[in-house]
Amino acid sequence: MAATPHDPHNLRELAATVVLGYRITRRQEKGKPTGRLERQVDRIREEAQKREDERKQKK
């Protein structure tokens, strides 16, 4: 279930995205690579959007 009617993410996905965003920021400050974490965020977003698109098609 989406957290809001305008957002495809559920609460778990929102929390994971926030945590990953924090980790990305910290790693950027230290000059370390962030590609792996950014791909995780992209994957979460893609899965959430796919799920919501499928739900809209069923209605």
Side-chain angles (χ1 to χ4, degrees), residues 26-42:
R26 296 291 293 168
R27 289 183 69 84
Q28 286 174 339
E29 289 173 355
K30 295 177 181 180
K32 294 184 178 182
T34 60
R36 181 180 54 86
L37 297 174
E38 291 172 359
R39 286 190 297 275
Q40 284 180 308
V41 171
D42 290 342

Side-chain angles (χ1 to χ4, degrees), residues 17-35:
T17 302
V18 169
V19 169
L20 287 169
Y22 173 76
R23 289 181 182 169
I24 289 169
T25 302
R26 296 291 293 168
R27 289 183 69 84
Q28 286 174 339
E29 289 173 355
K30 295 177 181 180
K32 294 184 178 182
T34 60

Side-chain angles (χ1 to χ4, degrees), residues 2-21:
T4 67
H6 307 289
D7 186 20
H9 301 87
N10 60 31
L11 292 177
R12 184 200 64 78
E13 292 165 339
L14 286 173
T17 302
V18 169
V19 169
L20 287 169

